[in-house]
């Protein structure tokens, strides 16, 4: 049976700081540049979630996009929106909140909740219009 991919884009705004606590300010600034700002900095993130599966003959859907939006909001966006990713999000505790680390953690939050026979195909996190990370699972 053919598999079709569908994607839902969501949005959230959050602050973070990239810095290793065991490094001094000079080394953090050298490695992470402006992202090591002691007073944090923020982004307006865009999150693309792609699900794949067969098209249901009754609905014409792989998965209802409203259900996908609600699922991602409940398990990801509601926790991240208008938060400090370093301080406010329990499932990011101890994680350096780079785009690469975030996209993997977001996958982990979403993947168990995708209803079969659909599967999570990819997650793309846009930190800026020119910088993003994509994850397709292990």
């Amino acid at each position: 049976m053919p598999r079709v991919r569908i994607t839902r884009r969501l949005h959230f705004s959050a602050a973070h700081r990239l810095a290793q606590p065991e490094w001094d300010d000079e080394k953090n600034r050298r490695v992470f540049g402006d992202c090591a700002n002691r007073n944090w900095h923020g982004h307006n993130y865009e999150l693309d979630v792609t699900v794949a599966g067969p098209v249901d003959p009754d609905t014409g859907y792989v998965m209802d996009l409203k259900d996908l939006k609600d699922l991602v909001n409940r398990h990801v966006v509601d926790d991240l929106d208008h938060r400090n990713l370093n301080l406010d999000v329990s499932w990011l505790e101890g994680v350096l909140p780079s785009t690469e680390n975030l996209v993997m953690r977001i996958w982990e939050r979403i993947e168990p909740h995708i209803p079969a026979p659909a599967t999570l195909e990819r997650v793309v996190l846009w930190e800026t219009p020119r910088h993003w990370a994509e994850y397709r699972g292990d």
Side-chain angles (χ1 to χ4, degrees), residues 24-87:
D24 63 22
D25 285 343
E26 181 182 325
K27 183 170 183 180
N28 275 309
R29 174 67 84 179
R30 190 171 59 252
V31 172
F32 298 113
D34 290 341
C35 294
N37 184 341
R38 284 192 151 288
N39 294 317
W40 317 99
H41 68 282
H43 297 283
N44 293 311
Y45 292 93
E46 298 289 335
L47 175 63
D48 294 341
V49 178
T50 301
V51 173
V55 176
D56 183 300
D58 294 327
T59 63
Y61 294 162
V62 169
M63 177 182 179
D64 187 318
L65 283 169
K66 183 187 180 316
D67 292 345
L68 181 58
K69 177 186 83 168
D70 292 347
L71 182 157
V72 176
N73 277 330
R74 185 170 52 256
H75 295 287
V76 175
V77 174
D78 291 350
D79 290 343
L80 301 179
D81 194 31
H82 289 86
R83 300 290 195 283
N84 182 312
L85 302 178
N86 298 76
L87 303 175

Side-chain angles (χ1 to χ4, degrees), residues 2 4 18 35 42 47 78 85 92-94 101 107 109 117 132:
V4 174
L18 299 183
C35 294
L47 175 63
D78 291 350
L85 302 178
L92 291 175
E93 188 173 328
N101 282 333
W107 175 284
R109 300 282 298 174
W132 69 92

